[in-house]
Amino acid sequence: MRVTGRSLFDKVWDAHVVSDVPGGPSILYVDLHLIHEVTSPQAFDGLRARGLRVRRADRTLATMDHSTPTAPRRADGSLPFVDDAARSQVATLERNCAEFGVTLHALGSEGQGIVHVIGPEHGATQPGATIVCGDSHTSTHGAFGALAFGIGTSEVEHVLATQCLLQRRPRTMRVTARGALAAGVTAKDLVLAIISRLGVGGATGHVLEYAGAAVRGLSMDGRMTVCNMSIEAGARAGMIAPDEVTFTYLEGRPMAPRGDAWARAVERWRRLASDDDARFDRELSLDAADVAPRVTWGTNPGLGVAVDGVVPTADEAPSGERAAWQKALDYMRLEPGRPIAGAPVDVVFVGSCTNSRLDDLRDAARVLRGRKVADGVRMLVVPGSQAIKRDAEAEGLAEVFRAAGAEWREPGCSMCIAMNGDEVAPGKLAVSTSNRNFEGRQGRGARTVLASPLTAAASAVSGRIRDPRELLR
Amino acid sequence: MTERTAFTAVTSRLAKLVRDDIDTDQIIPARYLKATSRAGFGANLFADWRESEADFPLDRADARGAALLLAGRNFGCGSSREHAPWALLGAGFRAIVARSFGDIFRQNSLKNGLLPVAVDEATHAALVACADEVTIDLDARELRFAGGRVGFEVDAFSRDCLLRGVDELGALLARLPEIEAFERRHA
């Protein structure tokens, strides 16, 4: 029996331990299993090879997002897949879901979108739940006070077959953002600042809990952006205690509880917050007012600076990291010692499971309204889901993007992972609202600068990396 | 229960790619993830680096045929793609020796019979300088080379699965009655 209080993570974990394997991991029960086309086919094959069924199809939800085209259908009604392999991967998911009785939000259906966008939208993502998906950005769902983490394909098969996973209890770290974010500074900037503090592997083995007034002050869209990028510091999961903002978002969603069940659920969810005397293995705190709009200069999300800062030189690297910094600088070809603002931009991407929600699109539109994407810059705006696409069109955002000269696309992962043909050409520099600036992530030889939708839009209209605050005055 | 080759000990020269934070997008770029089987990923291991770097370390004569890969810190960070260990296995690697590993990559590797071995700074430095064969002995949880022998950590459950060449799903399926009981309690 624990003598100290329990954290949000402790409460969710403890409630889902089926049993412990002696000398080994815990058997952890999974409330919701999200599936997409890239990491599931081999798992379904595994079920077939063993003659197993999907044990709880009612706790399994599928969509297609990674390999899917974001360009509109051709005149003949066909979908413009990048190649036969992409088409086949999507068809394989359709076949598997039909054979195993899994609900699929397929291309062309109203509920389709990026897996981490539609889970919350459908109300499938709920506080206190355990949620897994064969995708590292599953951490997104932690914004609702769920324990949500990415798994590999073998584990996808385990969950399909048993609704459980073998897991070792991770350590915990609380990240407290005091105060409030300044104007023009967003959830994306906050999480990029946190990752820079922790380093790209700094939270490995930990589950993060984001706390503090600045986190409380974020919308659900903002909270999802923060939790989404937990993995970029090495943490498999990031969590935020549910509150009125969470409940307001969820109430009335198709899969959320209704009536008396809703009231009981909210009462239960209120008790999930970390106890005052909860212990964390590590603590990090920062003052949100100190966070400026952030951009990355290197080839992992931890290598970033304030947008009004300077590209560092390799000499400034921490001990042991000089070679890595030099390699990153060589790849990015940004000038060390010079302000990063002003660096020429070829492509701007607004989208991905990090920043493709309505708040993100509103931010981008705020900058783009009445302005034009600079000559020579290609800007792609890819909504996270069909629902967001409809809302953005109804709100007039799509028209703002089109009028500015940006491409307004169908929902999907698109240029974040560049599997579907939406990619950045070799050597070109993209300011992207996505989550990874690894070498070649957005296309072979592509150079990625991660930023918020505000900064991305400001860079699009300027043709150079630009501090959005200059355009918001 | 799926059987695979049991992992006991591997002796090989080290292929050395001593870089920190090697992410899974480098190990297997995303455009190769459209295949729907587990086979064939080895040919595209580190595809972008192999293409863009003259004298890429894994293409050097002394790295050919190596079953052990030596990397830096935080190997396998980034995405959850199990295609990363599939690509490493497909290219003939049986174990990765590094200062540390990304969590999901580590788990994915163990489930596929690819052994992640984390070593301390001194051992790492000695291995970087080591041109001879190295033995990774899972049974003894020991890494042996000309510079000495050092223990490494692997949890008892994963080690048992690897030594017996069985996967973890069997262990979960054996516990289905407990899972059903859990569901009844929480219905």
Side-chain angles (χ1 to χ4, degrees):
Chain A
M1 197 69 199
R2 283 162 182 273
V3 288
T4 56
R6 293 192 304 159
S7 68
L8 166 61
F9 163 78
D10 292 328
K11 294 178 191 184
V12 181
W13 175 275
D14 292 347
H16 290 84
V17 174
V18 172
S19 63
D20 296 309
V21 175
S26 300
I27 297 177
L28 193 72
Y29 194 78
V30 173
D31 291 321
L32 175 65
H33 185 194
L34 299 164
I35 302 269
H36 64 87
E37 75 275 21
V38 178
T39 55
S40 66
Q42 298 87 351
F44 282 109
D45 283 346
L47 293 187
R48 271 189 286 268
R50 294 178 199 239
L52 296 167
R53 64 194 172 96
V54 173
R55 197 166 160 274
R56 293 295 300 266
D58 59 323
R59 292 187 176 278
T60 313
L61 193 62
T63 191
M64 31 187 68
D65 52 9
H66 285 65
S67 300
T68 55
T70 62
R73 283 174 192 271
R74 298 196 188 94
D76 65 1
S78 67
L79 286 158
F81 281 101
V82 63
D83 54 27
D84 287 342
R87 185 195 314 277
S88 157
Q89 196 167 51
V90 163
T92 301
L93 180 65
E94 279 176 341
R95 240 184 358 260
N96 284 331
C97 288
E99 179 182 339
F100 288 93
V102 172
T103 301
L104 169 67
H105 294 288
L107 274 181
S109 72
E110 282 186 8
Q112 181 263 342
I114 301 175
V115 64
H116 308 309
V117 175
I118 69 155
E121 262 176 17
H122 291 266
T125 299
Q126 294 177 14
T130 45
I131 301 175
V132 300
C133 174
D135 188 285
S136 61
H137 293 109
T138 306
S139 57
T140 310
H141 307 265
F144 291 79
L147 173 61
F149 54 90
I151 57 177
T153 297
S154 292
E155 291 179 315
V156 170
E157 184 182 342
H158 296 180
V159 181
L160 289 173
T162 68
Q163 205 56 32
C164 287
L165 278 175
L166 292 161
Q167 291 290 306
R168 278 158 204 84
R169 190 182 190 109
R171 295 186 290 277
T172 56
M173 185 187 324
R174 179 163 56 189
V175 178
T176 305
R178 297 180 304 266
L181 293 169
V185 183
T186 67
K188 180 64 164 289
D189 304 303
L190 175 62
V191 72
L192 284 172
I194 291 168
I195 297 163
S196 282
R197 286 278 293 272
L198 289 170
V200 68
T204 303
H206 293 76
V207 166
L208 303 179
E209 179 176 341
Y210 300 98
V215 172
R216 291 277 138 242
L218 295 174
S219 68
M220 284 317 299
D221 286 4
R223 293 179 188 188
M224 284 189 260
T225 299
V226 170
C227 289
N228 172 275
M229 290 195 70
S230 302
I231 183 68
E232 309 313 334
R236 277 180 89 171
M239 304 174 80
I240 296 174
D243 59 15
E244 295 308 320
V245 175
T246 322
F247 308 145
T248 303
Y249 176 101
L250 277 175
E251 191 168 12
R253 302 252 168 202
M255 295 175 75
R258 294 181 179 278
D260 290 348
W262 170 258
R264 284 196 304 276
V266 170
E267 197 188 314
R268 203 169 61 242
W269 294 341
R270 283 188 205 285
R271 293 197 295 268
L272 287 169
S274 291
D275 299 333
D276 290 340
D277 57 347
R279 293 265 193 85
F280 295 84
D281 295 301
R282 285 170 65 191
E283 296 261 10
L284 171 75
S285 69
L286 70 164
D287 202 331
D290 293 341
V291 178
R294 301 279 300 180
V295 284
T296 56
W297 57 264
T299 52
N300 74 53
L303 301 178
V305 286
V307 69
D308 55 1
V310 166
V311 180
T313 64
D315 293 339
E316 297 166 55
S319 151
E321 291 180 36
R322 193 180 193 290
W325 277 38
Q326 190 60 58
K327 188 173 190 303
L329 286 165
D330 290 345
Y331 183 86
M332 289 302 293
R333 289 190 280 115
L334 295 165
E335 210 177 326
R338 300 275 302 166
I340 194 161
V345 170
D346 303 298
V347 177
V348 171
F349 172 61
V350 173
S352 86
C353 59
T354 311
N355 279 128
S356 64
R357 298 178 183 82
L358 211 49
D359 277 6
D360 305 314
L361 302 186
R362 284 174 182 149
D363 273 355
R366 212 173 129 202
V367 173
L368 288 174
R369 193 169 281 117
R371 295 193 173 99
K372 292 278 185 199
V373 173
D375 285 345
V377 174
R378 179 189 184 201
M379 181 174 189
L380 214 63
V381 184
V382 184
S385 69
Q386 292 291 349
I388 290 168
K389 180 165 184 269
R390 286 190 297 272
D391 288 348
E393 287 172 352
E395 218 175 285
L397 303 178
E399 200 35 58
V400 172
F401 299 136
R402 285 201 199 95
E407 297 171 46
W408 174 244
R409 292 296 192 93
E410 294 295 315
C413 302
S414 184
M415 209 178 256
C416 171
I417 189 162
M419 284 183 70
N420 73 333
D422 298 343
E423 60 180 11
V424 178
K428 299 292 185 191
L429 187 127
V431 176
S432 178
T433 67
S434 54
N435 39 58
R436 289 192 172 132
N437 51 341
F438 297 150
E439 288 181 34
R441 169 77 177 185
Q442 296 192 283
R444 203 182 316 179
R447 301 180 293 147
T448 299
V449 172
L450 299 177
S452 74
L454 285 176
T455 303
S459 302
V461 300
S462 309
R464 293 171 181 280
I465 294 176
R466 181 88 184 263
D467 186 336
R469 294 172 297 190
E470 295 170 8
L471 299 180
L472 294 171
R473 280 177 192 139
Chain B
M1 194 170 283
T2 303
E3 304 280 336
R4 66 164 68 88
T5 314
F7 192 115
T8 48
V10 175
T11 298
S12 160
R13 273 176 295 106
L14 293 165
K16 294 172 189 169
L17 190 60
V18 187
R19 301 174 185 181
D20 292 335
D21 304 318
I22 295 177
D23 59 79
T24 54
D25 277 85
Q26 307 317 314
I27 298 172
I28 179 85
R31 62 182 178 281
Y32 298 113
L33 305 186
K34 289 172 213 153
T36 52
S37 80
R38 280 177 158 86
F41 293 104
N44 295 313
L45 178 70
F46 294 114
D48 285 356
W49 281 353
R50 290 194 121 115
E51 223 164 88
S52 62
E53 291 183 25
D55 194 32
F56 183 65
L58 299 194
D59 291 330
R60 291 176 198 156
D62 60 356
R64 291 215 185 101
L68 302 175
L69 177 65
L70 180 68
R73 195 168 30 104
N74 198 28
F75 184 82
C77 62
S79 93
S80 68
R81 63 190 70 166
E82 199 157 312
H83 314 67
W86 296 339
L88 288 157
L89 285 162
F93 291 106
R94 299 295 313 280
I96 314 293
V97 183
R99 291 281 288 112
S100 61
F101 294 91
D103 275 339
I104 309 179
F105 174 82
R106 192 172 185 288
Q107 290 306 316
N108 285 343
S109 295
L110 287 167
K111 288 177 174 60
N112 286 276
L114 178 70
L115 182 64
V117 176
V119 294
D120 64 23
E121 199 172 346
T123 304
H124 190 260
L127 290 171
V128 168
C130 170
D132 306 319
E133 288 196 325
V134 171
T135 295
I136 300 218
D137 184 340
L138 177 61
D139 199 18
R141 269 181 285 199
E142 196 174 72
L143 184 153
R144 293 189 290 272
F145 66 115
R149 51 177 63 201
V150 287
F152 61 84
E153 284 189 28
V154 53
D155 73 273
F157 177 75
S158 298
R159 176 169 164 269
D160 182 57
C161 287
L162 287 167
L163 286 173
R164 292 195 296 137
V166 299
D167 75 4
E168 297 180 8
L169 180 51
L172 271 174
L173 289 168
R175 309 290 285 261
L176 272 177
E178 285 166 70
I179 296 168
E180 285 160 6
F182 178 91
E183 285 176 327
R184 283 193 296 275
R185 283 201 304 279
H186 293 81

